Amino acid sequence: MQDEHERRMRYAIREAELARDAGETPVGCVIMHEGRIIGKGHNLRETLQDPTAHAEIIAITAAASALGSWRLENTRLYVTLEPCPMCAGAIILARIPEVYFGALDPKAGCAGSLMNLLADGRFNHRPAVFPGILADECGGLLTTFFRDIRMQGRN
């Protein structure tokens, strides 16, 4: 089963690489339903000048369109970085039952690092969360990206 999750996370990593290649923070996401990708996305905040254009939001929107429903029951979300508060909220509202992520985000992670919105019993939906899938590879994309930015003198 671990191999299956790693294979699916590699799809999310490909999305993150697309973000990186576009000069975006390299975060990618895919949503699976019945063994196939129904939504995918990567960060587009700089490209769209939209603070909500996170990989998860783009993937959730695509998945909802594919299913013709905002309820993304019986799906699995794979994302290379721990979801932020906005994305964690969207995951809860979309009723996504399983979340798999790669690298922890100690500055904005809301699936266990900074706080855990996804496990908060006050919400009407609590997805199962599986952290650390290909964490080194996912984290390495981010580390390299930000190192390169610092070396270029950009902030």
Side-chain angles (χ1 to χ4, degrees):
M1 193 65 154
Q2 185 66 21
D3 289 341
E4 173 189 340
H5 297 304
E6 288 180 2
R7 187 175 69 253
R8 291 173 176 181
M9 184 61 76
R10 291 206 184 281
Y11 294 129
I13 289 170
R14 281 190 218 125
E15 287 294 315
E17 291 167 343
L18 291 172
R20 177 201 61 207
D21 294 347
E24 297 276 355
T25 302
V27 178
C29 180
V30 297
I31 299 176
M32 308 294 297
H33 180 259
E34 296 179 352
R36 62 184 179 90
I37 295 173
I38 60 163
K40 61 184 178 177
H42 54 271
N43 274 4
L44 290 171
R45 290 188 311 170
E46 298 297 330
T47 301
L48 299 177
Q49 289 299 297
D50 179 353
T52 68
H54 287 204
E56 298 97 321
I57 301 300
I58 293 166
I60 288 169
T61 300
S65 179
L67 291 180
S69 175
W70 62 267
R71 290 177 184 88
L72 300 183
E73 297 161 342
N74 302 311
T75 63
R76 292 177 173 171
L77 182 143
Y78 292 82
V79 64
T80 57
L81 182 64
E82 180 180 0
C84 73
M86 174 182 67
C87 294
I91 289 165
I92 291 166
L93 294 173
R95 311 292 196 272
I96 295 171
E98 296 179 19
V99 175
Y100 299 80
F101 71 86
L104 294 170
D105 184 355
K107 293 184 178 182
C110 286
S113 288
L114 186 62
M115 63 181 61
N116 198 340
L117 291 177
L118 298 181
D120 192 315
R122 294 172 291 181
F123 291 113
N124 63 337
H125 175 72
R126 286 177 300 285
V129 177
F130 305 92
I133 309 294
L134 299 176
D136 291 341
E137 191 171 341
C138 294
L141 281 168
L142 291 157
T143 300
T144 301
F145 177 78
F146 287 114
R147 183 196 67 219
D148 291 348
I149 285 177
R150 285 190 298 277
M151 289 177 62
Q152 294 170 9
R154 295 185 347 206
N155 290 334

